[in-house]
Amino acid sequence: MTIAKAAVTTVRNPVLPGFHPDPSILRVGADYYIATSTFEWYPGVRVHHSTDLAGWRPLGGVLTERRLLDLTGTADSCGVWAPNLTYARGLFHLLYTDVATFAGGYWDPQNYLVTAPGMEGPWSDPVVLHGRGFDASLFHDDDGTTWMLSMRADWRPGHNRFAGISLQRYDHRVRRLVGPEHLIFEGTDAGLTEAPNIYRKDGWYYLVTAEGGTTLTHQVTVARSRRLLGPYEVDPEGPMLTSSGRPDLELQKAGHGSLVQTPGGEWYLAHLAARPYAPSGRCVLGRETALQRVDWPFNGWPRIRDGVPAAEFPAPAGVTATPPPAEPDLDHFDAPRLGPDWSTLRRPATPDWVDLTSRPSYLRIRGGQSPMARHRPSLVARRVTAPRCTFEATCEFVPRNYRQLAGITAYYNSRNWYYLHVTADDDGTPVLDVLCCDSGRVTAAPGLRTPLDVRRVGLRARLDGPALTFAYQTAPGSWQELGRTFDATTLSDEYAVTLVPGEPEAWGFTGAFVGLWVQDLGAEGGYADFDEAVYRLD
């Protein structure tokens, strides 16, 4: 008798497409959570939920108010780096770093810890922990002790800025670090050792770190010891995962991983990856989250097939359905607050500028500062999650003068963006125009300025790989293309890095957004109403 083998369900990577870097994965009972970095965007620390590792639902962000996170004045790609989500003593523990700068070899990283009985909160006031380094995590040992790990930053000229992995005990009762700091791992020749996590298995402590930098040379390194404080032996077979030297792979930059075990005993690694656009090699979607199946023999080293990231992974046993294709996401703004796919730049979505009540079924955005300002921008946006997608919005706006602008944007950071907007000429005539910002230089796209004789206009941005186009309509079904193609690859980490070659201030760690932007540069009370917004994959 022949027994047919059950078909293995496979899941496509990345499981969290678009800007979702530095994943920290956690299982509590039957529920899985992934927390990812958010940098200068609110709400801080984006979280997704799953029950099968295949389909993931956004829960939004944890750090929703200035009590928990203040991003006022935060520089591009600073802010929240590499959160760590764990569960112990009946509480979720979220550890996160707020990075202040890149300049001069400094980071000024401040680490905070908040706790809550459930992912929905309420979250405690932040506990201030050390500022010695970033990518911090908590390890809850079997004996009931908890330890904080982080990379150790060394600002001194001529020294290794990534000076190893440090460990210090955390006391739950007094909510602070106690005892001495221990340097437990100095890394391998790959360098740039960061993102530590410890797991205990079969009598070993396994230390998982990221090395090589979060670029094409990124990797996941594993070391182990019988003792928590070491010494740690590095896996003699080399990195657990990397795409370095494999330009043929769909997923590049593979690294920064964390492990999870299913109730059935299977292991998976959540890691960041990126999908470069040919031929530029630029990753417009930013660093994304992927999953890989891990084989872990008793008393052995964790292994991923061929040690490289795969575009598909086998789902856990018993999972028989893959997630359905994404449907267009239409928001009529009927809810009392923004949905979980929306983010705001550098300030939380408070009613004083994100208003969903003054005009039912409309989002009223009160104008903020200029695109270069870092204190009170009025930008509501969502991540670009696929190379081909469309974003449309219906805007009602009556500008008083040229200092008032409202429209849609394709945005990377304060120095790289495109802005299809309505404003006013000197004689008060409403006009439609496109502003472009390339490496901090703002220009108007020539020949596109168009007078408008209506206050209600549909606006559209379409991304087709490296090509970005805009269109508008003054009546339903009458889209008019603006007739120019813009370079979408400027909305990428790689392009941000080239702004000032060799200067750490120019690093970029986020990804492309599309969204709704309103400016009131004269602080004259200007606002725009958005009737609806739709994002769909093409």
Side-chain angles (χ1 to χ4, degrees), residues 92-445:
F92 288 90
H93 292 66
L94 178 64
L95 185 59
Y96 57 97
T97 310
D98 186 355
V99 171
T101 185
F102 301 136
Y106 300 95
W107 283 295
D108 292 311
Q110 181 58 67
N111 292 289
Y112 299 93
L113 175 66
V114 293
T115 59
M119 283 304 304
E120 70 282 356
W123 291 91
S124 67
D125 288 337
V127 173
V128 179
L129 300 177
H130 73 62
R132 297 189 292 258
F134 52 83
D135 286 9
S137 69
L138 291 182
F139 169 62
H140 307 285
D141 206 347
D142 294 343
D143 62 3
T145 59
T146 291
W147 301 79
M148 177 178 167
L149 298 98
S150 77
M151 63 80 72
R152 178 186 283 186
D154 191 339
W155 63 270
R156 294 173 294 176
H159 287 246
N160 182 3
R161 295 182 72 195
F162 292 76
I165 303 302
S166 70
L167 180 76
Q168 189 173 3
R169 186 175 173 183
Y170 173 76
D171 189 317
H172 288 269
R173 183 180 59 85
V174 297
R175 303 187 74 198
R176 62 181 176 86
L177 298 171
V178 297
E181 175 193 8
H182 305 273
L183 180 65
I184 63 170
F185 187 60
E186 294 187 68
T188 72
D189 291 341
L192 304 177
T193 307
E194 57 187 345
N197 287 282
I198 285 181
Y199 305 90
R200 191 166 187 179
K201 187 178 187 297
D202 303 332
W204 292 94
Y205 291 95
Y206 287 86
L207 174 63
V208 178
T209 62
E211 293 193 301
T214 186
T215 59
L216 297 177
T217 55
H218 212 192
Q219 68 180 48
V220 176
T221 300
V222 179
R224 71 180 185 182
S225 173
R226 291 289 187 183
R227 298 175 60 249
L228 176 63
L229 299 183
Y232 281 84
E233 169 199 6
V234 177
D235 186 345
E237 296 297 319
M240 177 187 183
L241 177 74
T242 187
S243 48
S244 180
R246 290 291 305 273
D248 56 303
L249 296 174
E250 180 179 336
L251 302 181
Q252 295 293 318
K253 300 186 180 180
H256 200 120
S258 58
L259 290 161
V260 70
Q261 186 179 24
T262 71
E266 301 162 285
W267 286 86
Y268 289 84
L269 178 81
H271 66 93
L272 73 78
R275 294 176 285 172
Y277 288 6
S280 69
R282 296 173 183 165
C283 303
V284 174
L285 305 180
R287 297 172 302 152
E288 308 171 280
T289 289
L291 288 173
Q292 306 297 334
R293 175 71 180 269
V294 176
D295 294 319
W296 203 331
F298 177 78
N299 214 31
W301 295 92
R303 293 282 181 256
I304 290 171
R305 185 175 180 178
D306 298 325
V308 298
E312 293 184 338
F313 67 93
V319 176
T320 58
T322 57
E327 296 291 330
D329 191 350
L330 176 62
D331 196 335
H332 286 291
F333 302 117
D334 294 324
R337 61 182 60 86
L338 292 175
D341 283 321
W342 293 108
S343 294
T344 55
L345 183 63
R346 290 189 174 88
R347 58 172 173 162
T350 49
D352 59 310
W353 71 278
V354 175
D355 182 353
L356 287 153
T357 59
S358 291
R359 189 178 181 188
S361 296
Y362 283 79
L363 168 61
R364 176 166 294 177
I365 300 179
R366 302 186 187 279
Q369 291 178 311
S370 75
M372 303 310 197
R374 296 177 177 177
H375 291 77
R376 294 185 307 280
S378 292
L379 175 55
V380 177
R382 57 176 300 147
R383 289 154 175 79
V384 175
T385 60
R388 292 170 177 80
C389 60
T390 297
F391 179 72
E392 297 173 0
T394 301
C395 177
E396 293 189 9
F397 179 53
V398 181
R400 298 180 188 174
N401 50 55
Y402 68 90
R403 290 181 292 270
Q404 296 184 347
L405 308 88
I408 63 173
T409 180
Y411 183 94
Y412 177 77
N413 65 11
S414 67
R415 297 174 60 84
N416 292 278
W417 44 263
Y418 300 96
Y419 186 22
L420 172 63
H421 65 278
V422 178
T423 187
D425 266 337
D426 286 341
D427 63 0
T429 301
V431 292
L432 186 76
D433 207 352
V434 177
L435 287 175
C436 312
C437 188
D438 185 334
S439 306
R441 181 172 177 263
V442 179
T443 58

